[in-house]
């Protein structure tokens, strides 16, 4: 596993620490990162589909979704 160090503004750090009181900071950051990465992939796939760079099937694959799930995201 690769270790990466990140710097956050103090306001973000305080916000993360507040959320992490219910669990560890590492677990909270991993969950936030995973959710953000999923949303980012979907947004980029939709963008590429709408500008004609990808077919619907290819965009769904890029987003890590089935074609039906991708269609729902388009709505």
């Amino acid at each position: 596993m690769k270790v990466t160090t990140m710097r956050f503004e103090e306001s973000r750090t305080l916000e993360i620490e507040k959320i992490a009181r219910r669990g560890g900071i590492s677990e909270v950051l991993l969950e936030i990162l995973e959710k953000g990465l999923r949303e980012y992939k979907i947004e980029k796939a939709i963008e590429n589909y709408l500008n004609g760079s990808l077919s619907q099937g290819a965009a769904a694959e890029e987003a890590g979704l089935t074609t039906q799930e991708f269609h729902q995201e388009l709505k």
Side-chain angles (χ1 to χ4, degrees), residues 41-42 44-50 53-66 70 74:
K41 287 171 54 177
I42 291 169
K44 288 299 177 183
I46 289 172
E47 182 181 308
N48 289 329
Y49 170 69
L50 293 177
S53 299
L54 293 174
S55 67
Q56 188 172 351
E61 187 175 327
E62 184 176 283
L65 302 172
T66 66
F70 185 72
L74 286 172

Side-chain angles (χ1 to χ4, degrees), residues 25-53:
I25 290 177
S26 293
E27 291 82 11
V28 168
L29 287 174
L30 283 173
E31 185 177 346
I32 291 168
L33 181 61
E34 287 173 6
K35 287 181 179 184
L37 182 58
R38 180 181 187 279
E39 289 301 313
Y40 180 84
K41 287 171 54 177
I42 291 169
E43 287 175 13
K44 288 299 177 183
I46 289 172
E47 182 181 308
N48 289 329
Y49 170 69
L50 293 177
N51 73 23
S53 299

